[in-house]
Amino acid sequence: KQANAQASLNVNADGAILVDGETGKVLYEKNADSPLGIASMTKMMTEYLLLDAVKQGKVKWNQEYSVSDLVYKISQ
């Protein structure tokens, strides 16, 4: 199935990955191991997860967060 999905998708991006949320199986990938800049969808998912955490009381709006050196390097 993965080979058929790879052949039938024409993703207009430098890199992409599609993962089955239930099994964790990679259904499609394009340059999945190449370091690329953070995409808009990643930013939107981060915003969604943060807003959900605020709603659940896990995080507060005025809470500060320090980014580790590794995360900082990956984001550059």
Side-chain angles (χ1 to χ4, degrees):
K1 282 186 177 181
Q2 186 175 1
N4 291 340
Q6 299 258 351
S8 64
L9 291 177
N10 185 15
V11 176
N12 186 17
D14 291 334
I17 188 165
L18 176 63
V19 181
D20 184 309
E22 292 182 14
T23 66
K25 180 180 178 184
V26 175
L27 303 174
Y28 174 83
E29 63 183 276
K30 177 179 177 182
N31 294 328
D33 296 323
S34 299
L36 301 170
I38 296 174
S40 296
M41 183 58 74
T42 302
K43 294 174 198 168
M44 290 171 44
M45 287 304 299
T46 301
E47 180 182 20
Y48 171 80
L49 292 171
L50 177 59
L51 291 173
D52 189 51
V54 169
K55 183 178 178 181
Q56 293 180 24
K58 295 178 180 178
V59 180
K60 299 197 181 324
W61 283 111
N62 61 350
Q63 183 174 339
E64 292 186 20
Y65 174 76
S66 297
V67 178
S68 70
D69 289 339
L70 175 61
V71 171
Y72 176 77
K73 287 177 184 177
I74 291 171
S75 71
Q76 298 304 305

